Amino acid sequence: MNGKNKNSGPPLTCDGCREGLQEYLDGTLDKPESLRFFLHLRECSGCREEHDRLLGLFQMLDSLPDHEVPADFDAAVLASVPYAAYQAMEPLRRERVPVFLEEAFLPRFVRARTVRLVGVGVASISAALALRGDGSAVLPVLVVAGLVPEILVRLQGLGRRALESMGRAES
Ligand SMILES: [Zn+2]
């Protein structure tokens, strides 16, 4: 027994015990570490209470039915909904656009018309200069950087439209 305790290090403090309690309960600790918890919990009623509380919580969570939403869940729900109600749900469906496709996902300055126009302007002037051959190495960078806001906004629009047409195809 003493030999084992040597491997498992100094006795656990209450703080250490509370910190690792979840892992202890998950069974992810190695044997000596787990033994330290076991020994501490046997001696310390405060930590044992916490242990029992967590254990109860875990068991409750485990007992919840954990079925995945079936792939055809949406279709099944929609099939059971009258068409009028389905139409009334339109605003809800709109809200299901992925967040990166929402206009607000892009910073306001990227969406600003002036920024986009200036960006395109900078890009075209830089491109023109670069093509005339009297540009510096910065010009290609300016072309790309200038186009970024416009491209981002347009890609977003494309994504949204693609999603909407997919939604129509489903319905
Ligand atoms: Zn304790």
Side-chain angles (χ1 to χ4, degrees):
M1 192 67 193
N2 278 338
K4 256 186 189 170
N5 276 337
K6 221 180 278 172
N7 283 339
S8 54
L12 206 55
T13 62
C14 284
D15 281 347
C17 181
R18 305 289 168 107
E19 246 169 60
L21 210 44
Q22 187 165 339
E23 284 160 68
Y24 174 69
L25 283 167
D26 281 342
T28 54
L29 298 174
D30 58 22
K31 271 224 174 93
E33 191 68 3
S34 186
L35 179 66
R36 289 173 71 211
F37 278 81
F38 174 80
L39 292 174
H40 182 88
L41 288 168
R42 200 177 56 181
E43 304 302 325
C44 174
S45 61
C47 286
R48 201 162 55 234
E49 244 168 61
E50 180 67 12
H51 167 272
D52 293 347
R53 198 184 63 79
L54 261 185
L55 185 64
L57 187 68
F58 281 16
Q59 283 168 345
M60 195 266 284
L61 288 176
D62 281 345
S63 70
L64 292 177
D66 63 336
H67 33 236
E68 297 266 308
V69 177
D72 59 349
F73 179 75
D74 276 13
V77 170
L78 289 180
S80 67
V81 173
Y83 186 64
Y86 175 76
Q87 274 181 319
M89 279 161 54
E90 173 66 23
L92 276 181
R93 268 176 284 135
R94 255 192 235 286
E95 278 169 21
R96 287 184 40 185
V97 171
V99 74
F100 61 90
L101 289 181
E102 279 168 17
E103 284 177 65
F105 180 74
L106 291 177
R108 190 177 292 276
F109 74 88
V110 171
R111 283 179 284 141
R113 183 162 284 273
T114 42
V115 171
R116 289 166 61 190
L117 284 177
V118 168
V120 171
V122 167
S124 19
I125 292 169
S126 311
L129 285 177
L131 285 175
R132 274 202 346 218
D134 55 4
S136 66
V138 191
L139 286 175
V141 178
L142 282 179
V143 174
V144 173
L147 286 177
V148 162
E150 183 67 19
I151 288 175
L152 281 179
V153 171
R154 276 174 194 249
L155 277 180
Q156 248 202 344
L158 275 179
R160 267 200 306 274
R161 274 194 291 281
L163 212 76
E164 276 164 24
S165 60
M166 266 160 48
R168 267 197 296 279
E170 273 171 21
S171 62

